Amino acid sequence: MNTKSIIQTKHLFKIYNTGVIETVALSDVSFQINKGEFVAIMGPSGSGKSTLMHILGALDLPTSGEYLLDGEMVSKLKDEELADIRNRKIGFIFQAYNLLPRTTAMKNVMLPMRYAGVAKEEREEKARKYLTLVGLGDRLEHTSNQLSGGQQQRVAIARALVMNPAILLADEPTGNIASVQAEEIMSLFKKLNNDGHTVVMITHEPDIAAHAQRIIHVKDGKIVKE
Amino acid sequence: MDILELFIESLGTLTLNKTRTGLAILGIVIGIGSVIALVSLGQATQQSVQSRIESLGSNLLTIQPGSTNQGGVRGAQGGRTTLTLDDAKAIETSTLITTIGKVSPEFSRRTQITTGGSNTNTQVIGSTPAYAEVHKVTIASGSFITQRDVEVMSKVAVLGPQVVTDLFGEGANPIGQSIRAGGQTLKIVGVTQAKGGSGFQNQDDMVFVPLTTAQKQLFGVNYLGSIALEAKSADVMADAQNEVGYFLLTKHKLSDPTQADFSILSQQDILNTVTSTTGTFTSLLAGIAAISLLVGGIGIMNIMLVTVTERTREIGLRKALGAKKKIIITQFLLESIILTFTGGVIGIILGIITSYFISNLTSSPFVISPASILLAFVVSAGIGILFGWYPAQKAAGLQPIEALRYE
């Protein structure tokens, strides 16, 4: 095993059983991502790329196979331990931002730190720091619905960064955002990657994927091309 | 993440959605408030009826004419004209009867009373001086019916305070003035002391006239409506009932007790009957209250279910950010507890205020049963917490992505 690898999967399968039909979403997926990489996962809709992302983000468990994240065998962990992994090791950025409604940017960003038991002063300081980093230093007390789509996504990025996670996972981060703002988000990702963050991003847009150093193509639940 | 912080966050979430929070609280308020108010109303009624019956006089036996029984057809109780003034005198003077003190022969009927421009419909009671002692009637001003009034058929009347108010206005002194009843003009010689109470047996809404005047001049009858007897003590009530029963059977030349043309009721019998009746009434009210509590509970349940279900995505997000199941359940439980507790406290206060107003309006005693408060609170809080907890723990048990995808 490569000591530099931060994500390693072995023979991941994800099978949805809806009672009548079995749907194979992931079939024998094995790959690895190294520390400091900026990886894009591409594929048509229904290819299983989102399922893969959710498993990488510990939001879902594989039906079988192994998933090693930063030295932890995630596929074997219990519910409470998974919560801890999600909290400390993973910064997840959703396509739909998923901010708490009618809640200020500060409070949204502080939420993961609250679950980690970080003291109040430190929380506020860090939230302010990361919101400033994503360019929202002047929008700290704006509630989610007072922010534009691009701004909301930047709050979500600040929220993903604030626990200083091992990896940043972004699921179609620019999918809901106008192209000018999408470029800003991508340059933010590049900057974060230059600062040493490992970034894994899902997209179906080739020009967005072009920002990454490495592109993994997924089709019918399998990795078809690297 | 400590509980105080969760508590503050829960408060914040609840104030974010004021309408929903308000409706949830309203359901609990109505549930708890109505239980407290209705149970209180029932108990107040029961107490006031009991105390009113007790105020009618203790150690009291009432002889009523029996039902008519002719040709095997049994008529209504009290429909017969078998009790006479002679019976009353015989009971009073008989040496065979040792347990009876005062004897009050009575004849009463509701009739129209007029004076000047006003009139009222009230109970006119033909009575002897013994009535006042047996029924604990006291005189506020003037005097009660005297023995001489009965002997000479005086055209006099003693009014209850309610009648005075109805005819002459609040606080008027009617003594010396006249009223007309049953075609006769009666001079008012006294007013009785207010006893309180309302309804059919209102002690204050009565007019007393000499028994003979009522029988001969007002209503044209020669029998009695009833004879009230005062036993010498509460201990001899049963003996007194038997003695008087045998005495009257003999006097009416009846050998078979089942053929008796009269019946003797003790105050205790009446009290027992009324207590069981009002007990039923209280149960009925409690039943209605239970239904409103149930409806309130379903309201809480509904709102809690909706609240949690529509926040399934939020639960998914919180889990995705690292919230443990325990924290999410605690958060929703806290919200439920805040809702039910706030609603419960408001409901208890409103219930007590309502009971207070009811007791003022109906001049019945103000009774609050701690048991009803506890029951109402426990039931609605239980419902609120259970139905907040159940969907929350269900949502918290989902994989984050399933909760996030929830539509």
Side-chain angles (χ1 to χ4, degrees):
Chain A
M1 190 193 288
N2 192 331
T3 47
K4 271 170 65 191
S5 87
I6 197 147
I7 284 177
Q8 186 161 26
T9 70
K10 282 182 189 163
H11 313 296
L12 281 185
F13 281 85
K14 180 69 183 180
I15 296 157
Y16 292 106
N17 197 335
T18 53
V20 193
I21 317 153
E22 269 196 356
T23 315
V24 181
L26 288 181
S27 170
D28 198 16
V29 173
S30 304
F31 69 100
Q32 107 179 19
I33 292 172
N34 294 329
K35 222 169 243 172
E37 274 196 292
F38 186 175
V39 178
I41 298 175
M42 283 195 77
S45 74
S47 60
K49 61 183 192 300
S50 280
T51 305
L52 178 60
M53 196 62 152
H54 295 147
I55 290 172
L56 294 183
L59 300 176
D60 207 354
L61 289 174
T63 312
S64 68
E66 287 181 355
Y67 168 32
L68 206 65
L69 168 68
D70 200 19
E72 298 238 30
M73 189 61 84
V74 174
S75 44
K76 296 263 193 301
L77 294 180
K78 292 191 192 69
D79 200 65
E80 300 287 274
E81 295 163 326
L82 280 172
D84 213 49
I85 289 286
R86 288 192 289 262
N87 187 240
R88 290 171 195 279
K89 301 229 160 158
I90 299 164
F92 206 102
I93 296 152
F94 299 91
Q95 179 176 3
Y97 332 131
N98 283 344
L99 299 181
L100 286 182
R102 285 161 296 188
T103 307
T104 62
M106 279 293 277
K107 282 191 176 158
N108 267 297
V109 175
M110 287 194 287
L111 195 58
M113 291 191 279
R114 282 181 43 198
Y115 292 133
V118 176
K120 197 163 193 268
E121 294 73 28
E122 194 187 335
R123 263 187 268 160
E124 284 178 354
E125 189 199 312
K126 276 198 175 170
R128 202 171 288 122
K129 177 182 147 197
Y130 281 98
L131 279 168
T132 311
L133 180 79
V134 297
L136 290 175
D138 55 343
R139 297 273 195 282
L140 300 180
E141 295 303 322
H142 282 56
T143 59
S144 320
N145 41 316
Q146 293 167 337
L147 297 169
S148 74
Q151 288 170 332
Q152 288 190 52
Q153 192 58 297
R154 279 189 277 164
V155 174
I157 293 168
R159 183 179 64 188
L161 286 171
V162 81
M163 289 296 294
N164 194 24
I167 53 163
L168 277 180
L169 298 176
D171 186 358
E172 303 253 12
T174 58
N176 287 6
I177 297 172
S179 54
V180 182
Q181 287 179 321
E183 282 302 318
E184 284 173 20
I185 298 280
M186 289 326 296
S187 47
L188 182 58
F189 276 179
K190 272 190 184 164
K191 182 169 166 276
L192 290 170
N193 181 237
N194 288 336
D195 293 347
H197 288 278
T198 312
V199 181
V200 182
M201 170 180 79
I202 280 188
T203 186
H204 63 270
E205 295 169 73
D207 51 333
I208 294 293
H211 290 277
Q213 303 158 347
R214 178 178 153 206
I215 299 175
I216 297 174
H217 290 272
V218 180
K219 200 183 175 196
D220 298 331
K222 291 188 173 81
I223 294 178
V224 289
K225 193 172 81 185
E226 281 220 25
Chain B
M1 193 152 151
D2 61 53
I3 198 92
L4 181 72
E5 215 175 323
L6 265 179
F7 182 80
I8 292 165
E9 187 185 9
S10 300
L11 271 185
T13 313
L14 290 173
T15 46
L16 272 183
N17 205 329
K18 291 191 181 67
T19 314
R20 194 174 60 197
T21 306
L23 284 174
I25 289 178
L26 188 65
I28 302 166
V29 167
I30 291 173
I32 292 187
S34 59
V35 167
I36 291 171
L38 288 175
V39 170
S40 155
L41 174 64
Q43 288 181 334
T45 310
Q46 198 162 0
Q47 279 195 12
S48 85
V49 169
Q50 275 177 19
S51 66
R52 212 178 302 153
I53 287 172
E54 276 156 10
S55 80
L56 293 175
S58 49
N59 306 348
L60 190 66
L61 290 174
T62 308
I63 310 175
Q64 290 189 328
S67 54
T68 49
N69 193 353
Q70 283 171 335
V73 181
R74 205 167 166 85
Q77 182 91 13
R80 215 163 166 184
T81 58
T82 48
L83 282 183
T84 62
L85 191 54
D86 190 37
D87 288 333
K89 281 180 179 153
I91 292 169
E92 198 168 11
T93 53
S94 169
T95 50
L96 293 171
I97 297 173
T98 55
T99 48
I100 295 294
K102 291 286 173 189
V103 177
S104 166
E106 296 156 18
F107 183 87
S108 70
R109 193 171 274 183
R110 281 198 87 80
T111 194
Q112 200 70 16
I113 307 282
T114 59
T115 181
S118 49
N119 69 90
T120 183
N121 189 288
T122 187
Q123 195 80 10
V124 173
I125 301 184
S127 49
T128 64
Y131 186 99
E133 291 165 69
V134 171
H135 293 280
K136 313 277 184 254
V137 174
T138 48
I139 285 292
S141 60
S143 58
F144 196 68
I145 308 294
T146 63
Q147 190 57 41
R148 195 185 135 71
D149 289 334
V150 178
E151 281 160 14
V152 304
M153 273 185 250
S154 308
K155 291 181 182 172
V156 295
V158 175
L159 270 50
Q162 184 63 47
V163 181
V164 174
T165 305
D166 290 348
L167 291 178
F168 300 98
E170 185 103 45
N173 180 8
I175 291 176
Q177 303 195 50
S178 305
I179 54 169
R180 280 188 70 80
Q184 301 290 331
T185 302
L186 305 168
K187 189 175 158 215
I188 300 166
V189 295
V191 176
T192 62
Q193 192 78 45
K195 269 190 167 187
S198 56
F200 293 116
Q201 279 299 314
N202 187 349
Q203 291 279 291
D204 297 341
D205 190 13
M206 287 177 174
V207 171
F208 303 96
V209 299
L211 176 63
T212 45
T213 312
Q215 284 183 311
K216 307 264 160 49
Q217 297 190 323
L218 265 51
F219 305 123
V221 297
N222 55 10
Y223 52 88
L224 292 177
S226 63
I227 303 172
L229 308 168
E230 191 184 38
K232 281 183 174 154
S233 79
D235 303 333
V236 297
M237 290 289 278
D239 293 343
Q241 213 165 345
N242 286 334
E243 272 185 13
V244 174
Y246 282 117
F247 180 81
L248 270 188
L249 279 175
T250 316
K251 185 165 184 296
H252 289 186
K253 299 186 173 59
L254 297 165
S255 54
D256 182 359
T258 61
Q259 293 290 311
D261 54 4
F262 60 88
S263 59
I264 304 175
L265 289 173
S266 75
Q267 187 72 13
Q268 196 56 46
D269 294 338
I270 298 171
L271 193 58
N272 288 347
T273 311
V274 172
T275 305
S276 83
T277 311
T278 52
T280 311
F281 178 66
T282 306
S283 311
L284 178 76
L285 285 180
I288 294 170
I291 290 171
S292 76
L293 188 60
L294 184 71
V295 172
I298 291 171
I300 301 166
M301 185 170 110
N302 213 342
I303 283 169
M304 291 314 299
L305 275 172
V306 169
T307 302
V308 177
T309 309
E310 77 174 26
R311 286 168 66 192
T312 300
R313 285 170 57 90
E314 181 195 322
I315 291 175
L317 169 68
R318 288 175 183 275
K319 285 203 78 175
L321 295 179
K324 295 191 165 70
K325 192 173 170 179
K326 202 175 69 189
I327 281 188
I328 286 172
I329 293 173
T330 311
Q331 182 193 343
F332 278 86
L333 265 187
L334 271 175
E335 284 183 23
S336 292
I337 290 169
I338 293 170
L339 278 183
T340 47
F341 190 78
T342 313
V345 170
I346 298 174
I348 288 172
I349 293 170
L350 279 184
I352 292 174
I353 291 174
T354 312
S355 313
Y356 182 74
F357 274 112
I358 291 175
S359 84
N360 263 5
L361 281 177
T362 59
S363 54
S364 53
F366 176 52
V367 200
I368 290 291
S369 145
S372 70
I373 294 182
L374 193 71
L375 175 85
F377 196 79
V378 166
V379 169
S380 51
I383 291 170
I385 290 167
L386 180 67
F387 287 95
W389 171 80
Y390 173 70
Q393 81 93 32
K394 230 174 83 178
L398 292 173
Q399 288 297 334
I401 199 64
E402 292 172 60
L404 272 171
R405 278 203 196 118
Y406 187 86
E407 294 293 332

